[in-house]
Amino acid sequence: MRAVLIAAFACVFAAGLAACGAPAPSIGPDNGGDGARSAPDLRLDRDPARARGEALTIERVFGSPSLSGPSPRGLRFSPDGARISFLRPREDDRTVLDLWAMDVAGGRTYRLVDARALVPQEGELSEAEIQYRERARISETGVVSYDWDDEGRAILVPLDGDLSYVDVESAEARRLTETPEFETDARISPDGRHVSFIREQTLWVHDLETGEARALTEEGDGPVSWGVAEFVAQEEMRRFTGYWWSPDGSRIAAARIDETPVDIVPRFGITAEGVNVADQRYPRAGTPNALVELWVINVASGERVEVDLGEETDIYLARVNWSEAGDRLYVQRQNRMQTRLDVLGADPATGASAIVLSEAAPTWINLSDDLTPLEGGGFLWTSERTGFRHIYHVDAEGGVRALSAGEWAVDRITGLSDDGATVYFEGWVETPLERHLYAVAFEGGSPVQITSGAGRWSASLGEGGTAYIGTYSDPDTPPHTGLYAIDGSRIAWIEENALTEGHPYHPYLAAHVSPEFGTLTAADGRTELHWSMLRPDHCSASTPCPVIVQVYGGPLVQTVTRGWVNPRDQLFPAHGYILFKLDNRGSSNRGHAFEAALHRRMGIVEAQDQIVGLDYLQGLEFVDPDRIGLWGWSYGGYMALMTTLQAPGRFTAAVAGAPVTDWALYDTHYTERYMGMPDENAAGYEAGSVFAHLDGYETPTLILHGMADDNVTFDQSTRLFAALQARGERFDMMTYPGERHGVRPPPLQVHLWRTIFGYFEREMAQTRTPAPDPSAP
């Protein structure tokens, strides 16, 4: 791959990009051809001539094509470096993804797999696939995942429950499976000889030469599964697989999951057609988890060896990695309370293991995907042991050395240079509002920023660190993606996505509102909090406007950044509202102490900080202090309830979507990480429950929930319905039959947002100032 990239770059730098078959970049902004790292210039056209434009509507925000423009995802270099592959939504239906490719040398972009041509009409998904997509937050259909072979000649495409093997030169697709069962989590082995997949809770391999498929495991039935990730692994650990190929393709490390100890929670899948009762294995806080084992399976013989995970069985299998040479397994084992994370080094031939590295914290350990095996042994690692996530080198004997340091956070390791002298990472160095690509010497030192602009970057490095695929956005620039040399100079656009005439968002530029940013001091009197605001132009002291506060508030999420503003957020100023967001203590990317402020007391410090935001808003002359609403989904729905209940009557109205109402009803890995066990933090669980604060119910509230939600189960809301009804309180509710934790189909999103805005209109309507008509002269 490295040779192909170098050849392509040589052509570019010697003759210019146009000579290599791609349009030449402009010199100047956007890391131009002269190597200068200045800000991208694909921003909104501020020409006064476009003063009139179309009014933004709910229907258009959720229509096709996407208002943010074409946004490739799943971007990867092919193993040989000749192509860049990615998924792109169809223009006629944003919910369907096709597989596309771009030739690195010439810049030609073409559709490699047309999902509708391969499968004109997809059937119903299996329950396992539905759950996986729900956990991975995949709402599209078509090609939602793919896997390259090791030589870059073929791509494996799962579609409609079966597997197709696509030749990238001819684009011919060979169907590998055609069964009534779904094949999931499919991959090509590193040696290119097999395709592996999960069928009916069992790990299978398909021999590409003979066409023979065989099961490598048995018992895949009922509570026992092989090669899969259990519920909390997918939902809370962000581990979506349960098997891992060795580098030479001869062995597979596979998890055996036994959910027998896990409580069965009946889940009523209420749809428009009727009710299905599913016995869901759902480990609520304080109850038993699944039993997890790890085995190494010889692909040729089927023989297997169990890996020693220690005597304690009440553990989490967090991550598994093979060493570069394939002679060692690195297994991340987390204790039940998540205060300790051990990296085990295991012998795949015998299963014997020993601790290589341990992390410990009095609060909890956050997981990452940053373990990067190195040639010659050892690995790169990230840790929050200093209070901020930084990069470390762990040698083969377990010695630890820091490569980065400071009161800023590494987001993730993205790659290593070919000579091993430089480590590349994404991070929040200068400000927690902007994410950039950086380089740091393997021997340590100050990071060097590679990317530019006052916004957010994400990057995928090619092998050897000679180039990267970079995606950038800022508040006025929708995401654009290009191929860049490692010095930050752009080689070619993959998707320019310029906001020019013809772009889906162009007709609405006249009404686009750019966010304002600022800081407040938290309720503790010392911590700085970041906020953003979308303020319509007509809001002033003489015409004060109503405000909607949009909240999430929980850990692992950051809502205030200098990224592209989701067109959905623009609906608020389009309806005459100011939209306000505040990242309270407990939010992400500010260091562990900032996040751990909510330890053992969720729902308290977050609400205190949101009330500080309310105080600030009510003191602004362009805000109507008597018309401030609050809305959020999931943890944000919980926060909408907890904040209004702890500030009785101070908000005009609230909307709570899919809210947790009692942490004792939520799952083990998430809840216990932050709250501990229910029997040893009873006071914290009580104080963090919505029901403990119902005496403060004065804010009219709309509660929304999907009736088949398998994450925040529907009974979280029905218990609140019953409690409010018993107290004689007025509230509104809207439930969505058949929908899970997210209401995803576009027609239902339209209904959802009509309902939300309709509710705020009704509750805040008396003196609401309408937004000016952008089409009026």
Side-chain angles (χ1 to χ4, degrees):
M1 169 178 172
R2 181 169 177 267
V4 174
L5 289 174
I6 290 174
F9 301 157
C11 174
V12 169
F13 295 129
L17 196 59
C20 300
S26 59
I27 303 300
D30 190 36
N31 301 359
D34 61 353
R37 294 188 297 107
S38 53
D41 192 20
L42 299 176
R43 296 168 180 269
L44 299 176
D45 174 13
R46 295 300 183 185
D47 186 346
R50 66 159 182 81
R52 293 186 179 88
E54 295 183 23
L56 188 65
T57 65
I58 295 172
E59 291 77 9
R60 182 60 194 91
V61 166
F62 297 105
S64 295
S66 169
L67 287 180
S68 293
S71 300
R73 63 201 73 178
L75 292 141
R76 300 182 200 170
F77 285 101
S78 62
D80 61 0
R83 296 176 176 85
I84 292 168
S85 55
F86 54 93
L87 303 176
R88 176 189 280 173
R90 299 175 70 95
E91 288 192 6
D92 59 344
D93 187 348
R94 62 187 291 182
T95 67
V96 180
L97 301 178
D98 292 329
L99 179 62
W100 288 70
M102 186 188 88
D103 293 336
V104 168
R108 182 176 69 98
T109 299
Y110 50 95
R111 182 159 45 194
L112 192 57
V113 176
D114 183 328
R116 286 293 170 260
L118 200 59
V119 179
Q121 184 63 46
E122 291 186 57
E124 291 187 9
L125 300 176
S126 69
E127 179 61 24
E129 183 69 8
I130 291 173
Q131 291 192 23
Y132 162 73
R133 295 191 186 192
E134 185 71 19
R135 306 283 81 77
R137 308 300 188 258
I138 297 172
S139 57
E140 296 86 2
T141 60
V143 183
V144 299
S145 64
Y146 65 94
D147 190 45
W148 280 98
D149 76 342
D150 201 44
E151 296 182 346
R153 297 179 180 177
I155 291 179
L156 181 68
V157 177
L159 190 60
D160 198 31
D162 288 313
L163 306 177
S164 293
Y165 194 73
V166 181
D167 182 283
V168 295
E169 291 294 341
S170 66
E172 292 183 1
R174 173 162 57 103
R175 194 89 168 231
L176 298 183
T177 63
E178 196 164 0
T179 65
E181 301 86 9
F182 255 69
E183 285 81 41
T184 62
D185 194 11
R187 272 169 272 162
I188 302 175
S189 64
D191 62 5
R193 296 177 57 191
H194 296 93
V195 165
S196 55
F197 55 87
I198 304 298
R199 178 190 291 161
E200 299 284 280
Q201 303 171 222
T202 299
L203 176 61
W204 288 69
V205 290
H206 175 105
D207 189 306
L208 287 171
E209 183 177 348
T210 67
E212 176 191 2
R214 56 192 171 90
L216 287 181
T217 62
E218 310 86 29
E219 307 176 276
D221 188 32
V224 176
S225 301
W226 279 89
V228 303
E230 70 274 27
F231 173 84
V232 294
Q234 293 187 33
E235 180 63 39
E236 312 301 358
M237 291 187 262
R238 311 306 292 165
R239 174 170 67 78
F240 297 107
T241 188
Y243 74 92
W244 302 265
W245 278 99
S246 65
D248 65 358
S250 65
R251 292 177 287 195
I252 297 177
R256 180 185 183 274
I257 309 298
D258 183 356
E259 294 186 295
T260 302
V262 180
D263 287 349
I264 295 176
V265 176
R267 176 169 54 83
F268 296 89
I270 301 173
T271 69
E273 290 75 31
V275 180
N276 296 315
V277 181
D279 289 335
Q280 181 178 350
R281 300 276 182 174
Y282 189 97
R284 285 178 163 161
T287 67
N289 274 318
L291 298 173
V292 182
E293 300 169 354
L294 184 66
W295 294 74
V296 177
I297 305 171
N298 185 296
V299 175
S301 68
E303 296 178 356
R304 56 182 185 238
V305 174
E306 184 175 7
V307 175
D308 182 5
L309 299 180
E311 294 183 3
E312 178 59 64
T313 58
D314 196 6
I315 59 168
Y316 294 109
L317 179 67
R319 300 285 189 271
V320 176
N321 299 83
W322 286 87
S323 66
E324 275 284 303
D327 59 350
R328 200 176 199 189
L329 268 178
Y330 292 117
V331 182
Q332 296 182 44
R333 176 187 67 189
Q334 196 175 42
N335 68 336
R336 173 72 182 252
M337 298 311 300
Q338 300 174 64
T339 55
R340 183 181 176 95
L341 178 66
D342 296 322
V343 179
L344 305 178
D347 182 343
T350 66
S353 68
I355 295 175
V356 175
L357 175 73
S358 289
E359 299 280 355
T363 50
W364 68 83
I365 301 290
N366 284 316
L367 301 174
S368 81
D369 293 313
D370 288 327
L371 192 153
T372 305
L374 300 173
E375 291 184 9
F379 52 86
L380 294 176
W381 177 252
T382 63
S383 167
E384 293 180 300
R385 58 178 60 188
T386 65
F388 291 85
R389 184 168 295 280
H390 281 291
I391 303 173
Y392 297 84
H393 171 224
V394 181
D395 63 32
E397 287 71 44
V400 180
R401 178 178 58 85
L403 275 62
S404 66
E407 293 190 357
W408 50 269
V410 168
D411 190 50
R412 69 184 187 97
I413 295 173
T414 57
L416 189 67
S417 64
D418 197 43
D419 61 5
T422 306
V423 178
Y424 300 98
F425 68 92
E426 293 173 12
W428 317 81
V429 178
E430 298 298 329
T431 167
L433 304 187
E434 298 176 12
R435 183 176 63 197
H436 286 275
L437 177 65
Y438 296 87
V440 66
F442 185 79
E443 296 305 319
S446 299
V448 176
Q449 183 175 318
I450 296 173
T451 52
S452 62
R456 286 171 57 102
W457 282 88
S458 61
S460 175
L461 262 69
E463 185 180 335
T466 56
Y468 64 92
I469 303 164
T471 298
Y472 172 84
S473 77
D474 62 38
D476 294 331
T477 306
H480 64 249
T481 303
L483 173 63
Y484 295 84
I486 201 59
D487 66 355
S489 57
R490 176 166 53 82
I491 298 168
W493 286 120
I494 297 171
E495 186 58 72
E496 184 176 6
N497 199 23
L499 272 175
T500 54
E501 189 170 355
H503 190 282
Y505 194 64
H506 189 268
Y508 309 97
L509 294 184
H512 178 87
V513 178
S514 297
E516 305 167 36
F517 295 91
T519 60
L520 295 173
T521 302
D524 64 1
R526 62 180 184 275
T527 304
E528 184 179 71
L529 307 176
H530 289 272
W531 59 259
S532 68
M533 179 187 298
L534 295 181
R535 173 162 51 123
D537 291 341
H538 69 277
C539 301
S540 65
S542 59
T543 57
C545 287
V547 179
I548 303 298
V549 177
Q550 181 170 298
V551 63
Y552 183 81
L556 302 178
V557 171
Q558 179 185 17
T559 64
V560 180
T561 71
R562 295 189 186 276
W564 171 243
V565 177
N566 188 322
R568 189 194 72 184
D569 287 355
Q570 295 288 340
L571 287 171
F572 289 90
H575 281 75
Y577 297 106
I578 296 169
L579 179 65
F580 184 79
K581 301 179 186 179
L582 176 71
D583 279 337
N584 49 253
R585 287 171 293 162
S587 303
S588 189
N589 297 323
R590 294 288 305 279
H592 191 68
F594 185 89
E595 188 181 40
L598 50 66
H599 187 226
R600 298 174 65 87
R601 51 175 183 161
M602 287 200 295
I604 306 302
V605 298
E606 312 98 292
Q608 292 171 352
D609 287 350
Q610 291 296 329
I611 292 169
V612 167
L614 174 63
D615 294 338
Y616 170 72
L617 290 170
Q618 290 183 321
L620 297 175
E621 63 177 8
F622 55 83
V623 167
D624 184 337
D626 297 323
R627 291 184 296 156
I628 299 179
L630 178 64
W631 106 272
W633 193 273
S634 192
Y635 201 106
Y638 168 69
M639 282 295 299
L641 294 170
M642 290 294 284
T643 305
T644 56
L645 292 172
Q646 293 176 72
R650 294 196 58 192
F651 288 91
T652 311
V655 176
V660 170
T661 58
D662 183 349
W663 287 110
L665 301 179
Y666 199 57
D667 72 54
T668 51
H669 195 271
Y670 186 94
T671 307
E672 295 165 9
R673 182 190 319 158
Y674 307 117
M675 293 290 282
M677 299 291 276
D679 60 356
E680 54 88 22
N681 186 24
Y685 274 80
E686 174 66 18
S689 167
V690 167
F691 301 97
H693 302 275
L694 289 182
D695 286 344
Y697 184 83
E698 295 184 19
T699 300
T701 301
L702 166 65
I703 303 168
L704 309 157
H705 215 129
M707 300 178 79
D709 196 332
D710 57 355
N711 179 12
V712 179
T713 50
F714 189 42
D715 58 346
Q716 295 264 14
S717 281
T718 58
R719 295 186 188 198
L720 180 58
F721 298 162
L724 291 173
Q725 290 164 349
R727 298 171 66 94
E729 303 287 3
R730 182 179 76 83
F731 68 98
D732 288 78
M733 64 181 181
M734 178 62 67
T735 57
Y736 287 89
E739 292 304 297
R740 303 208 179 198
H741 192 52
V743 177
R744 308 200 188 280
L748 294 185
Q749 290 182 322
V750 169
H751 183 274
L752 173 73
W753 282 95
R754 283 178 177 171
T755 301
I756 291 172
F757 279 112
Y759 186 76
F760 281 130
E761 291 278 349
R762 188 181 79 203
E763 296 299 329
M764 303 170 69
Q766 290 84 352
T767 57
R768 190 180 73 78
T769 305
D773 183 351
S775 64

